[in-house]
Amino acid sequence: MTADQDQSNQEEQQERSTKGHSLLHGNLSVVNTEKFMIEALREAESAFREDETPIGAVVVHKNRIIGRGHNRTISLSDPTAHAEMVALTSASETLGEWRLIECDLYCTVEPCVMCAGASVLARVRKIYYGATEPKFGGCGSLFQIPLDTRLNHQCEIEGGIMAHESAELLRDFFQQLRLKKANRN
């Protein structure tokens, strides 16, 4: 085998290895994204059981959940107790650091302006969300706060992950709420 043939074989092997690795990494990424979104949905189900708007969130650092939250605005009488805010606070406590560098936020619904802003301030790397929020959305529906280059940090955004499941949970909750109101009257 000539030196040129040997070099060509090595390049082909490296290319195959790289392709295989990136494909595997991509598949693992999809699996992990869904795994973490399922955890956010579990948080949303907790909110539903507590008669809170069923939105859930988890914060992931190095492939490990370090913060969880679901809406608690009613139970805490706190307008800022959104799922994302609770999860970001929990993650900061876990790390002992307010900067959530190398952390990703998974939420069942597109974060509102407040939660999107908090994610930017916390230096979150990427925001994954399920259903869009046309009335309050801060990550694409109304505003794109995490992508605003006027701010000192930007977060990547990926929406539509398990959007059907997230939207269905919200629909069921509000349908149940309307039935409760109708039965009271």
Side-chain angles (χ1 to χ4, degrees):
M1 182 180 284
T2 68
D4 288 339
Q5 288 173 324
D6 186 44
Q7 176 71 23
S8 178
N9 282 343
Q10 287 176 353
E11 288 172 4
E12 285 177 356
Q13 285 177 345
Q14 187 174 0
E15 186 176 301
R16 275 195 299 268
S17 170
T18 303
K19 282 183 183 175
H21 175 70
S22 66
L23 288 174
L24 178 62
H25 183 324
N27 288 339
L28 285 175
S29 179
V30 169
V31 169
N32 283 338
T33 299
E34 288 183 5
K35 176 178 93 173
F36 295 131
M37 189 57 78
I38 288 168
E39 291 300 317
L41 281 163
R42 285 189 176 127
E43 287 294 323
E45 289 168 349
S46 293
F48 192 116
R49 286 189 298 275
E50 296 170 17
D51 291 326
E52 296 272 4
T53 303
I55 299 174
V58 296
V59 176
V60 176
H61 179 255
K62 296 183 179 178
N63 220 23
R64 192 176 126 250
I65 294 173
I66 61 165
R68 295 175 169 274
H70 56 272
N71 272 9
R72 308 221 30 229
T73 56
I74 296 168
S75 63
L76 296 177
S77 296
D78 180 355
T80 68
H82 289 197
E84 301 91 335
M85 300 296 279
V86 174
L88 291 170
T89 299
S90 174
S92 292
E93 289 172 357
T94 299
L95 291 180
E97 171 68 55
W98 66 268
R99 290 177 192 90
L100 299 178
I101 297 168
E102 296 183 17
C103 292
D104 299 322
L105 174 65
Y106 292 79
C107 3
T108 56
V109 176
E110 176 185 356
C112 70
V113 173
M114 174 183 68
C115 296
S119 298
V120 169
L121 291 172
R123 314 299 197 270
V124 167
R125 176 177 47 199
K126 187 166 184 175
I127 299 170
Y128 296 89
Y129 69 86
T132 57
E133 176 42 90
K135 293 181 181 177
F136 301 105
C139 294
S141 291
L142 292 177
F143 302 97
Q144 291 193 350
I145 290 169
L147 300 177
D148 193 327
T149 57
R150 294 172 296 178
L151 301 174
N152 68 334
H153 175 76
Q154 288 78 46
C155 310
E156 295 177 53
I157 302 169
E158 186 175 335
I161 297 146
M162 301 184 78
H164 176 75
E165 292 85 347
S166 298
E168 187 173 38
L169 195 57
L170 285 166
R171 265 192 308 275
D172 291 349
F173 175 78
F174 286 111
Q175 182 178 11
Q176 184 176 311
L177 192 63
R178 284 189 292 276
L179 286 172
K180 284 181 183 177
K181 282 184 179 179
N183 288 337
R184 276 189 255 151
N185 296 333

